[in-house]
Amino acid sequence: VIYTVFSFSSFASLVVVDVILYAATILLELAALVALRVSAPHAARPYRVPGGWLGVWLVVLLPTTVLALAIVATAQSEGMGAVSLSAAGLASGVVLYPVVRFLLKRDAPDVYVPLDGEAREVDWLGERLPSLVPRERPEWR
């Protein structure tokens, strides 16, 4: 249904929608960065943003500003049609996610991933798993 709605648009409008939806995914990743820094500040991470909280805010605010300016420029040049189509695409994800999760997932994990400290080689189905968690923590430099 969503692809059918998008097929009535021009190619230029679809490119704008794609850029805006991709920008929304980047903003979600940046929001996850801040949320994990707040909720689990001492968790082991494979990558580190240097500079402490100042570095994190620079990593978050600079791309967010560029994305906001790009959306405003797109709305001014292409009109609100593409922006409203992007908003409809974002809203469809928010509305359909709980429905799909209820119908398909039913709170069953895709695969068992052991948490830090519980590196088991057998999952909840009794099958042998590859080692997903390193035996020792990496050292931060």
Side-chain angles (χ1 to χ4, degrees):
V1 172
I2 294 169
Y3 288 130
T4 304
V5 171
F6 285 148
S7 69
F8 292 113
S9 298
S10 66
F11 181 74
S13 177
L14 289 176
V15 170
V16 170
V17 169
D18 179 58
V19 168
I20 291 175
L21 292 178
Y22 183 67
T25 61
I26 291 173
L27 290 176
L28 281 175
E29 290 173 10
L30 294 173
L33 168 69
V34 172
L36 286 173
R37 276 289 181 108
V38 170
S39 65
H42 300 294
R45 294 180 172 87
Y47 302 102
R48 186 180 179 116
V49 176
W53 276 106
L54 177 64
V56 170
W57 286 117
L58 286 175
V59 165
V60 170
L61 292 178
L62 293 176
T64 302
T65 305
V66 170
L67 294 172
L69 291 174
I71 291 172
V72 169
T74 300
Q76 290 176 349
S77 65
E78 295 291 326
M80 287 303 291
V83 176
S84 62
L85 197 57
S86 300
L90 289 172
S92 70
V94 172
V95 170
L96 291 177
Y97 177 76
V99 173
V100 171
R101 183 178 166 117
F102 175 75
L103 293 177
L104 300 178
K105 294 288 288 179
R106 304 243 183 211
D107 292 329
D110 292 330
V111 65
Y112 174 76
V113 177
L115 300 174
D116 191 29
E118 61 172 14
R120 291 187 262 173
E121 295 178 358
V122 177
D123 72 351
W124 49 277
L125 294 175
E127 296 178 11
R128 191 159 176 79
L129 292 175
S131 179
L132 299 175
V133 177
R135 298 288 181 203
E136 64 275 343
R137 289 179 174 257
E139 291 186 24
W140 296 106
R141 296 181 187 175

